[in-house]
Amino acid sequence: MSSKHYGSCLCGAVRFEIAGDFERFYLCHCEYCRKDTGSAHAANLFSATATLQWLSGEDQVRVFNLPSTRHRNRFCATCGSALPDLQMNGALLKVPAGSLDTDVHIRPDAHIFFASKAGWDEALEKVPKVAKLP
Ligand SMILES: [Zn+2]
Ligand SMILES: [Zn+2]
């Protein structure tokens, strides 16, 4: 049994379909992911077997590979939203969890590169949770 997932960027130009299952889910706190996402960590799903199909807006998809590193991301040229990317010469599909419009049924496996986390990224589970704007 193989599942299907659908996702899109914020402006809606880019839409995609993922056929297959995710094997790993990592929250990466490395300095590149923090800079790239502008946040505490990236939240990426990985699959060595799932396939990616662009449903619309493929001409809007841009790739950035940080020189001399394996850090690579795809994003929408109009809104900058993170998009799925084939890594390791196409062997591994990386899907930013936040780009998906369908539910993700696996839980994160680990916080990785935790030694590189932001100074303010400490005991965040204790921070008050507000339903909407404070
Ligand atoms: Zn967009
Ligand atoms: Zn990272």
Side-chain angles (χ1 to χ4, degrees):
M1 192 195 98
S2 136
S3 39
K4 286 210 169 169
H5 304 270
Y6 294 91
S8 59
C9 65
L10 191 56
C11 78
V14 183
R15 298 194 174 279
F16 60 87
E17 176 188 303
I18 307 287
D21 296 310
F22 298 115
E23 288 121 32
R24 292 282 179 267
F25 189 178
Y26 290 124
L27 307 177
C28 186
H29 296 249
C30 84
E31 59 181 316
Y32 306 145
C33 287
R34 286 192 289 110
K35 185 71 79 175
D36 173 343
T37 61
S39 191
H41 57 74
N44 289 318
L45 294 148
F46 293 91
S47 178
T49 54
T51 56
L52 165 68
Q53 191 187 341
W54 301 109
L55 301 177
S56 70
E58 187 175 357
D59 60 328
Q60 293 291 300
V61 179
R62 298 290 182 274
V63 180
F64 174 70
N65 195 161
L66 186 62
S68 324
T69 75
R70 284 168 46 191
H71 186 84
R72 191 184 129 110
N73 62 311
R74 273 187 185 161
F75 56 96
C76 170
T78 300
C79 68
S81 301
L83 294 167
D85 186 35
L86 278 162
Q87 312 211 310
M88 300 172 76
N89 294 321
L92 190 66
L93 177 65
K94 174 189 92 169
V95 180
S99 71
L100 291 172
D101 298 313
T102 44
D103 290 338
V104 173
H105 297 291
I106 63 171
R107 299 273 303 155
D109 291 294
H111 288 272
I112 61 173
F113 283 90
F114 203 58
S116 303
K117 70 185 172 71
W120 51 267
D121 184 0
E122 195 67 58
L124 296 185
E125 70 282 1
K126 291 181 188 150
V127 175
K129 295 175 176 68
V130 179
K132 293 198 176 173
L133 278 176

